[in-house]
Amino acid sequence: MNNAYEVLEERISEWGISNEEIIAVYIVGSRAREDKPFDEFSDLDVVVFSTNPDYYLQNDQWLLNIGKVWTSFMFRTAKGDPEKLVLFDQGAEVDFLFRHTSDLDHIIKNGRIPEGFQRGVRMLLDKTGNGNQIIPQTTTITVTPPISEGAYLQVVNMYCFASLYVAKQILRNDLWVAKQRDMDCNYCCK
């Protein structure tokens, strides 16, 4: 499977080079990290700076330049940024986060490293000649503090409450509400 991701990275790079709207492409996430590198189940997280990001989020035609697409859809990151989640041939998942080129200019001008780049980033394409300025010199390892007893009890209580609510909605045959509450259960356990 890792070979499939290497091929996808090469195709993404070629697509970016041949597309004048694409200015810079970075790999972030586990496939760019050193502290906790990827495993066989890791997806490929790609940040693309483009002059027309909305087009790529709302259309799928461009994906055919990269590979055979099984499915794709728009989603939002934990911070609310829109992204395109794509499942390519062989089950290789790529998450594309598109940002406008003005964001890249602003980030470089202010000397600010994007938060998602702190744990590791690799530059795949840079047409500006300045793209390496947003790559941190050292990576930051995020240490998650242990959960407090109060926070743990809150999650357990929320889960129990939502589980019972889901069961009631199933008995009522209100399956859409049941599914929504089921998603709430999954959310409270993250």
Side-chain angles (χ1 to χ4, degrees):
M1 179 63 79
N2 288 333
N3 188 38
Y5 286 103
E6 291 170 9
V7 169
L8 282 171
E9 281 191 33
E10 186 176 315
R11 289 180 179 168
I12 292 167
S13 178
E14 291 169 358
W15 163 75
I17 289 169
S18 65
N19 186 329
E20 65 184 34
E21 292 182 342
I22 305 304
I23 306 305
V25 179
Y26 296 89
I27 304 298
V28 297
S30 60
R31 291 192 177 267
R33 281 198 307 257
E34 294 178 17
D35 67 312
K36 256 184 138 175
F38 66 90
D39 60 27
E40 63 183 302
F41 304 107
S42 297
D43 63 354
L44 181 62
D45 297 300
V46 182
V47 178
V48 180
F49 289 93
S50 167
T51 58
N52 191 8
D54 289 339
Y55 170 81
Y56 300 101
L57 289 165
Q58 297 169 6
N59 295 287
D60 287 341
Q61 192 65 33
W62 63 274
L63 291 167
L64 301 176
N65 295 310
I66 296 171
K68 182 178 179 184
V69 177
W70 284 357
T71 188
S72 74
F73 60 96
M74 283 232 347
F75 197 67
R76 294 220 174 254
T77 66
K79 294 194 178 227
D81 295 320
E83 64 181 340
K84 175 81 91 172
L85 303 184
V86 184
L87 199 57
F88 285 99
D89 195 24
Q90 299 179 35
E93 181 187 341
V94 181
D95 300 349
F96 291 94
L97 176 68
F98 283 89
R99 305 276 306 267
H100 196 274
T101 55
S102 61
D103 293 340
L104 179 61
D105 295 337
H106 182 72
I107 291 167
I108 291 172
K109 180 181 174 186
N110 291 323
R112 190 181 50 133
I113 306 294
E115 186 177 323
F117 288 30
Q118 298 292 343
R119 288 188 63 192
V121 58
R122 289 188 291 118
M123 186 168 36
L124 200 58
L125 173 67
D126 175 28
K127 295 179 182 176
T128 69
N130 297 318
N132 61 344
Q133 292 180 28
I134 66 172
I135 297 177
Q137 297 298 318
T138 59
T139 56
T140 305
I141 298 172
T142 306
V143 178
T144 305
I147 189 169
S148 70
E149 180 181 355
Y152 173 77
L153 289 174
Q154 175 73 9
V155 169
V156 169
N157 289 329
M158 287 172 54
Y159 186 79
C160 290
F161 182 90
S163 296
L164 180 60
Y165 191 85
V166 167
K168 285 181 182 181
Q169 298 312 313
I170 291 171
L171 291 172
R172 289 179 174 157
N173 202 26
D174 198 348
L175 300 181
W176 283 111
V177 172
K179 180 60 181 165
Q180 183 61 48
R181 295 297 79 84
D182 177 57
M183 290 173 24
D184 292 344
C185 287
N186 291 327
Y187 177 77
C188 77
C189 291
K190 287 184 180 182

